[in-house]
């Protein structure tokens, strides 16, 4: 069987294991979990404590380790951002990013027979999602195929290949490849867990569920997240709608999404007051993992921001670098540049008066900096070079210089 | 004030903020937390749920995110290891390793005034501990100095430098530098959180506390951990002793420690039936982060293994590679080579009859593979290269080949 899907936009339903509505917009799962309050969370590990709001229970294997990431408050970054920030450390996942939530849910659903006839899983990605899908598939009996662009750097291929999926380099338009696999996969029994498909979005819901649980019975004023394909953004919106429908929260936090200024189709559409996101010609940015010029769930993300009273903003590379450095130097948190956009965006939103200093703001740091900690821009150098015999003298001077 | 320390060996006590007993052996904190049972754990995040067994409560900042790592059971690795393995994913820490527990406790104690007069923190390391100490210090008001060997590779310097500590390259014997900083630091108000000092060991206790809590009211039959300096091993031993003293466990799991065969002073001493670990001339191993030829708490680790009915074993690089690959390919778990020794050691212990197939074995995977995922040995290559127009044909063949 396959779970019923519904279009957030036109309301059409289908039980076919497809990702797109006939109207062209992305589908998500048509779910009605019934009444829910915070006492309905269980002792299951990580994201599975919300099994009452998920279509499948915790499976064995790696999926059990997804979710349950820390929410870090009371950091010096409140000053940097100008408001009360609560850092959701999504990098603390087995493969280092938020993608693990969707991979875990997708594989669990496929194994439970809820994704149609499935002989294998696949994805189209050259980064976090490829690594995540391959890892979670490795802990199941399902083979995994990963389509990557033909110009993928060798070091990224290594990272994916360690889990031994079938990796296929594809020459041609990447956005087209993304959609084509969704169209052609089901007939071949290959469920593609691309970034905005219904099963992945259902897993990505749990980021917002955990954030809201941390604030319960209160609600945060806002969630600020990077946005790329719009899949994670869609998951957050769906989570908040379900919590409100179930009566678990009495007001919906505003959803703010952040893009890199060099490639910001959703922010552009937001600024222009448009109802649809259209393809742009993106430029280079250090936040390359969110540089999606033609986001498949862009319009849905735009709707999520407007519907919740949020916004979509863009931050330039200098602001991203400053936020990334502040996270490391002031809070000891290492993130990839794409994640730092969330903090940079928060600072901008405060500066523009869209958030204020009394707000409680959950800042979603989507991925660890450990995968690329050495590529901080300029190579580091030591402060000093000394001989062993000079250590005591050095310590004396060092301590003497501390104010 | 400074917490009282005691020698595990001769029983001498001191309130001086020192790391070594007059007898030469390492000190640990002299603690008596009174009665404890599992219901005394709290709702505090991560390792701080065991505040009843720690000298300090959760501070603000990054320390709140330490501990609380998943314990993954029911994986296909039971077959690989030949017993029931439970994988403790210590890589799921802000800086990707178990070191964060000791850094968190050390910084919390220093900030709470429990480590003597402290103006700054320091460490001697070129790997996980340097990164961890620098990160946790960054989220406090305490300056941090990191002494590294003068031949440190630039990429490792980058990883440490992102948190902006003072980094000092030191020419001279590394083991001597380690001890010298412990001797000279206190007089200068610099508390060195080196790997086997009392405060770090007290934090490292929480790995074993969490494992035992996961099994409560039962106890696992064994814990298998990599061993390098002996600090983490000492922490595990201290945790088990305290749990037994408090009546929370009625039998102590066996502690098994694993070294790389190329540099195995503790395993050598164990095999030779000696009571003391002496310096060896170590060779190269892919598990470089545990290649400690002169472990400062080696003798204490040896005692821990013997006292709990465990052992110390060594595994060669081929066995480490096989275990690392099995973790990735069969369970989707990426670890650094040093961590894979724990699984390789478990397999060896089963082969030698020291563990059997019905045992419940906690395997401590100390650090993530994300920091060096691309250095798996041989560069990966794609399985295939195709054109976009061939995707459907490829999928048909791929699906058809699945048995």
């Amino acid at each position: 069987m396959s779970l019923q899907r519904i279009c957030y936009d036109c309301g059409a339903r289908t039980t076919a294991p497809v990702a797109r509505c006939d109207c062209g917009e992305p589908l998500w799962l048509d779910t009605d979990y019934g009444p829910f309050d915070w006492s309905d969370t269980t002792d299951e590990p990580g994201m599975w404590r919300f099994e009452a709001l998920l279509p499948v229970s915790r499976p064995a294997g790696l999926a059990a380790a997804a979710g349950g990431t820390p929410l870090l408050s009371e950091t010096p970054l409140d000053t940097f951002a100008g408001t009360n920030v609560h850092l959701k450390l999504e990098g603390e996942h087995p493969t280092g990013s938020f993608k693990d939530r969707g991979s875990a849910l997708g594989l669990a659903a496929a194994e439970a027979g809820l994704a149609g006839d499935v002989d294998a899983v696949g994805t189209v990605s050259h980064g976090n999602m490829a690594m995540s899908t391959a890892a979670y598939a490795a802990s199941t009996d399902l083979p995994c195929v990963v389509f990557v662009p033909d110009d993928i750097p060798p070091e990224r291929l290594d990272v994916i290949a360690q889990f031994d999926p079938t990796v296929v380099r594809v020459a041609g338009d990447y956005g087209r490849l993304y959609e084509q696999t969704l169209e052609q996969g089901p007939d071949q029994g290959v469920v593609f867990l691309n970034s905005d498909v219904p099963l992945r979005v259902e897993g990505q819901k749990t980021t917002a569920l955990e954030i809201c649980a941390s604030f319960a019975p209160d609600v945060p004023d806002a969630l600020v997240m990077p946005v790329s394909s719009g899949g994670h953004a869609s998951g957050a919106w769906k989570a908040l709608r379900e919590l409100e429908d179930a009566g678990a929260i009495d007001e919906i936090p505003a959803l703010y999404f952040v893009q890199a200024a060099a490639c910001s189709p959703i922010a552009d559409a937001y600024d222009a007051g448009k109802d649809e996101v259209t393809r742009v010609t993106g430029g280079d940015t250090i936040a390359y993992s969110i540089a999606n010029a033609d986001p498949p769930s862009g319009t849905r993300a735009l709707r999520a921001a407007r519907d919740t009273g949020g916004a979509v903003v863009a931050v330039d590379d200098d602001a991203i670098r400053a936020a990334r450095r502040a996270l490391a130097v002031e809070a000891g948190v290492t993130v990839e540049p794409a994640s730092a956009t969330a903090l940079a965006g928060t600072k901008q939103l405060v500066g523009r008066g869209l958030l204020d200093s009394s707000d409680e703001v959950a800042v979603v740091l989507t991925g660890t900096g450990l995968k690329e900690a050495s590529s901080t821009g300029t190579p580091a150098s030591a402060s000093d070079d000394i001989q062993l015999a000079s250590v005591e003298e050095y310590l004396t001077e060092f301590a003497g210089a501390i104010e």
Side-chain angles (χ1 to χ4, degrees), chain A residues 152-163:
Chain A
I152 186 170
E155 62 273 17
R156 268 198 252 167
L157 203 58
D158 279 340
V159 166
I160 301 164
Q162 67 181 310
F163 302 107

Side-chain angles (χ1 to χ4, degrees), chain A residues 11 73 88 98 100 105 187 221 240 246 267 283 309-310 313 340 351 357 365 390:
Chain A
S73 303
K88 186 67 173 166
F98 73 105
D100 284 14
L105 193 289
D187 284 346
D221 296 292
L240 298 181
V313 299
S357 62
L365 302 174
S390 311

Side-chain angles (χ1 to χ4, degrees), chain A residues 144-221:
Chain A
C144 178
V145 58
V146 179
F147 288 110
V148 300
D150 63 345
D151 60 350
I152 186 170
E155 62 273 17
R156 268 198 252 167
L157 203 58
D158 279 340
V159 166
I160 301 164
Q162 67 181 310
F163 302 107
D164 215 21
T166 298
V167 180
V168 184
R169 276 187 293 237
V170 184
D173 182 75
Y174 191 65
R176 189 62 217 126
L177 172 64
Y178 183 100
E179 293 299 325
Q180 199 169 315
T181 53
L182 296 181
E183 293 155 15
Q184 298 169 348
D187 284 346
Q188 306 301 335
V190 184
V191 58
F192 274 86
L193 296 172
N194 295 357
S195 67
D196 77 328
V197 304
L199 289 174
R200 186 171 290 282
V201 168
E202 199 69 11
Q204 299 305 157
K205 274 188 355 188
T206 58
T207 312
L209 293 179
E210 287 181 10
I211 289 169
C212 289
S214 295
F215 282 89
D218 296 328
V219 288
D221 296 292

Side-chain angles (χ1 to χ4, degrees), chain A residues 229-252:
Chain A
S229 70
H232 200 193
S234 300
W237 190 30
K238 191 168 194 280
L240 298 181
R241 288 160 59 121
E242 289 179 358
L243 289 175
E244 187 184 45
D245 287 348
I249 56 175
D250 50 19
E251 78 188 298
I252 282 199

Side-chain angles (χ1 to χ4, degrees), chain A residues 20 270 276 289 309 319 324 329 375:
Chain A
R20 302 291 172 243
Y270 179 85
E276 279 186 24
S289 64
R324 189 179 188 212
V329 170
S375 56

